[in-house]
Amino acid sequence: MMMEEAMSVVQRAGRWTLGEKAEGVFVVKKGGQLVAKIITGEYTPGAADRNEAECTVERVVEVGEQSEVAGVFRETVADRCVRGFDRPS
C-alpha cells in the first residue's frame, strides 16, 4: 500500500490546488487528481521522483525560479477551464 506524501497547499482556485511536494517540486491537482508537475531550479532528483503517478503526468513544466510557479498554476487552470474541463469558483 502506497502512502501519499504530505504536501503543503500553496494556492487554491476552486477545486484546483497548487502544492509543494518537495523542495523545487510543485504539483497542480484538480479535485485531488494530478494534472501537472512544476519543477524549479531548486529541484534535486531523489525521493520526490519515486511516485509512479507523478512520473506519468501529462504536463511537466520547468521554471527557473520559485517565483514563476504561481503564474504557471494560473495558466494551467485557465487553459483547462477554457477547454471546458472546469470552472474555477
Side-chain angles (χ1 to χ4, degrees):
M1 175 183 202
M2 288 192 80
M3 304 239 346
E4 186 165 327
E5 295 176 41
M7 175 182 80
S8 64
V9 173
V10 177
Q11 193 167 356
R12 187 178 303 276
R15 294 179 58 205
W16 295 84
T17 58
L18 169 66
E20 185 171 15
K21 190 75 168 177
E23 187 168 345
V25 180
F26 294 81
V27 292
V28 178
K29 293 184 175 184
K30 178 189 159 212
Q33 296 297 317
L34 185 65
V35 174
K37 190 172 182 180
I38 306 168
I39 308 293
T40 71
E42 290 87 27
Y43 167 70
T44 303
D49 300 323
R50 294 191 184 134
N51 185 337
E52 284 184 35
E54 288 184 19
C55 293
T56 59
V57 67
E58 177 183 319
R59 183 172 191 209
V60 177
V61 180
E62 293 184 34
V63 295
E65 297 186 19
Q66 188 168 335
S67 62
E68 299 172 72
V69 172
V72 173
F73 172 68
R74 288 190 298 274
E75 289 171 11
T76 301
V77 171
D79 180 50
R80 296 296 173 114
C81 291
V82 167
R83 294 190 318 185
F85 283 95
D86 192 19
R87 291 183 187 173
S89 51

